[in-house]
Amino acid sequence: CAEREQLAALTGFELTRGMLCAMRRPMLKTPEELLKGARRIAVLENIVDSTNIGAIFRSAAALGMDAVLLTPDCTDPLYRRCVRVSMGTVFQIPWTYIPSWPHPGMEQLSKLGFKTAAMALTPNAVSIDDPQLMAEEKIAIVMGTEGDGLAQKTIASCDYQVIIPMQNGVDSLNVAAAASVAFWQLRKK
């Protein structure tokens, strides 16, 4: 902690809370190491908005996800805005990058026993409360980038295509809001 002027001189910009943190980055585990014993995980594909990443991590921690996997083009969860929006849960919930997505990443998840659920607006998608989906022992909830959503090859590779039923002519939710609904509905019971 220091005076604002001193922190601004150190960082090159104004900080609003009068605090600065420096830390060593933890060594990230491989997806196989991270997912031992996991039953419910989130996979984030190319999500670039730091507010969305932080909100998704907060929901993942609060709603019982065991881990979060990120594709290489996702925003770094340790970016300061992500940490702040997550209320620090990026330090609580296990996470790592999945190096190659969707292939062979999908195959890795399948070998670990996960069924993949693409959150996607497709004609043959099942509702988020589909009994077969909810009965799966291990689920990887796959969420896509802002705007474009999931890549078509990712959707085609997933075991399920899933929608959250909407009303009033709204077709979808923001990725962070959709993640919260999906995590709640598909949580471990």
Side-chain angles (χ1 to χ4, degrees), residues 3 18 24 26 31 35 43 47 50 55 59 62 66 70 103 107 120 126 135-137 144 168 170 187:
E3 295 299 318
R24 292 185 198 271
L35 299 180
V43 179
I47 298 176
S50 56
S59 293
D66 296 313
L70 300 101
H103 302 290
E107 290 82 5
V126 299
E136 294 289 358
E137 182 64 26
N168 297 316
V170 177
R187 72 194 183 281

Side-chain angles (χ1 to χ4, degrees), residues 52 56 59 63 119-120 128 141-144 162-164 166 172-186:
N52 284 335
I56 292 168
S59 293
L63 300 172
M119 300 301 296
I128 190 90
I141 303 167
V142 186
M143 311 292 297
V162 181
I163 60 167
I164 299 168
M166 299 281 123
S172 65
L173 298 172
N174 161 278
V175 66
S180 295
V181 172
F183 298 166
W184 168 256
Q185 183 65 40
L186 299 173

Side-chain angles (χ1 to χ4, degrees), residues 34-156:
L34 190 78
L35 299 180
K36 286 183 181 160
R39 293 181 43 223
R40 295 292 186 270
I41 66 168
V43 179
L44 309 183
E45 181 183 87
N46 304 338
I47 298 176
V48 296
D49 184 273
S50 56
T51 300
N52 284 335
I53 292 286
I56 292 168
F57 267 81
R58 187 173 178 181
S59 293
L63 300 172
M65 294 295 105
D66 296 313
V68 176
L69 296 179
L70 300 101
T71 63
D73 289 334
C74 280
T75 293
D76 182 355
L78 297 183
Y79 178 69
R80 67 187 181 102
R81 178 91 177 131
C82 298
V83 172
R84 191 167 67 236
V85 172
S86 80
M87 298 293 290
T89 58
V90 297
F91 301 115
Q92 179 183 353
I93 190 161
W95 64 273
T96 197
Y97 287 97
I98 192 160
S100 186
W101 185 258
H103 302 290
M106 287 281 191
E107 290 82 5
Q108 288 176 302
L109 291 175
S110 182
K111 285 179 188 171
L112 294 169
F114 285 92
K115 294 294 185 178
T116 50
M119 300 301 296
L121 299 174
T122 60
N124 53 344
V126 299
S127 176
I128 190 90
D129 61 355
D130 180 82
Q132 184 177 344
L133 173 65
M134 292 178 59
E136 294 289 358
E137 182 64 26
K138 294 173 121 181
I139 298 176
I141 303 167
V142 186
M143 311 292 297
T145 189
E146 303 85 352
D148 294 334
L150 290 170
Q152 287 303 313
K153 61 185 176 184
T154 299
I155 294 169

